[in-house]
Amino acid sequence: MNQDVRIYPDLNTLSGAVAKGIADVIETAGKGTKKVAVALAGGNTPRTTYRLLASQYGRKLPWHNTEFFWSDERYVPHDHPASNYRMARETLFSGIEIPEENIHPMPTHFPDPEQAAWSYEEELRRFYPGAWPRFDLLLLGMGTDGHVASLFPASDALEEKVRWLAASAAPSEPRQRLSLTLPALNHASIIYVLIAGAEKARTVANVLAAPPTNGKLPAVLLQPREGQLIWWLDSTAAGQLSSGRTAESCPH
Ligand code: 6PG
């Protein structure tokens, strides 16, 4: 199966390339009056990408036409250090001029995360009245256990086939999470998976070599129905890919 694997020397060059890719998608998809919808990844890997997106493209892109959602969220207040919303606010939104109404954080104020999941699905359905959301670009990271968004191995949330959002349980703090479900992820037009660090090299090799039906590693189940999937790796995360792999190596 032809996989689009792009390898960069380090996190900085990887982040620069991803930021350019995001900018290209926003510029292309945002031409005219069409709204562009981007779902942001959480965690630490995307921080540099978001900072570069703001610093290098902050004055060039149609932010008024760009709507930001999230792929997942930790169920903590939006000003909590572990909040994915807070991370994006600090690294991206603080550096660009974008209407507040274009930023759609996952709600984390409901007593029950299930209520929050339904609430966010309703918000998404106002934006996507069809059968599934179709983000122009969906950003993800991957954990060493192969989780993507907050869909962890062997979790009920990973099995969800009808709802767009699921409340899930993480093996590490903060344990309560909200996540787009696998079908919601796989209806995106373009998926970028950003992975850096030697600690993920074994999982990367296993995921890219795994048969598509191997559900033990959630990242293997990223199979966009009518969309593009690009793996963006730094050289350490790609360190255990077989030498014969036809990964497209991009020096800069
Ligand atoms: C989260 C993320 C999660 C993340 C991976 C990788 O909320 O933590 O959505 O899926 O992308 O755990 O995290 P790092 O980028 O911090 O390694």
Side-chain angles (χ1 to χ4, degrees), residues 175-205:
R175 292 191 182 269
Q176 287 186 317
R177 309 284 179 102
L178 295 178
S179 182
L180 289 176
T181 57
L182 197 56
L185 299 179
N186 278 328
H187 276 82
S189 174
I190 302 172
I191 300 176
Y192 282 5
V193 190
L194 286 57
I195 310 175
E199 72 281 4
K200 299 185 183 175
R202 170 53 47 209
T203 308
V204 166

Side-chain angles (χ1 to χ4, degrees), residues 84-191:
N84 288 336
Y85 165 75
R86 172 173 160 173
M87 184 271 277
R89 172 66 69 183
E90 291 172 348
T91 55
L92 174 57
F93 300 127
S94 59
I96 63 175
E97 287 187 23
I98 182 169
E100 271 306 309
E101 61 269 22
N102 288 28
I103 301 171
H104 307 270
M106 288 189 177
T108 59
H109 58 277
F110 290 94
D112 178 358
E114 281 292 341
Q115 290 174 282
W118 281 115
S119 168
Y120 203 61
E121 178 161 340
E122 283 169 15
E123 179 167 1
L124 270 177
R125 284 185 183 279
R126 284 194 288 275
F127 194 81
Y128 286 109
W132 289 99
R134 185 165 174 75
F135 294 103
D136 296 283
L137 178 60
L138 181 100
L139 303 176
L140 294 170
M142 187 190 75
T144 53
D145 62 356
H147 80 260
V148 289
S150 285
L151 300 176
F152 295 91
S155 66
D156 293 345
L158 190 59
E159 303 305 321
E160 177 59 51
K161 298 285 185 277
V162 174
R163 290 178 57 184
W164 294 12
L165 268 295
S168 70
S172 59
E173 292 298 337
R175 292 191 182 269
Q176 287 186 317
R177 309 284 179 102
L178 295 178
S179 182
L180 289 176
T181 57
L182 197 56
L185 299 179
N186 278 328
H187 276 82
S189 174
I190 302 172
I191 300 176

Side-chain angles (χ1 to χ4, degrees), residues 52 91 250:
L52 290 171
T91 55
C250 313

Side-chain angles (χ1 to χ4, degrees), residues 2 10 13 21 23 39 42 44 55 126 145 149 152 180 185 201 223 230 249:
N2 248 348
D10 52 45
T13 48
N44 292 309
S55 60
R126 284 194 288 275
D145 62 356
F152 295 91
L180 289 176
L185 299 179
Q223 296 157 27
I230 302 178
S249 292

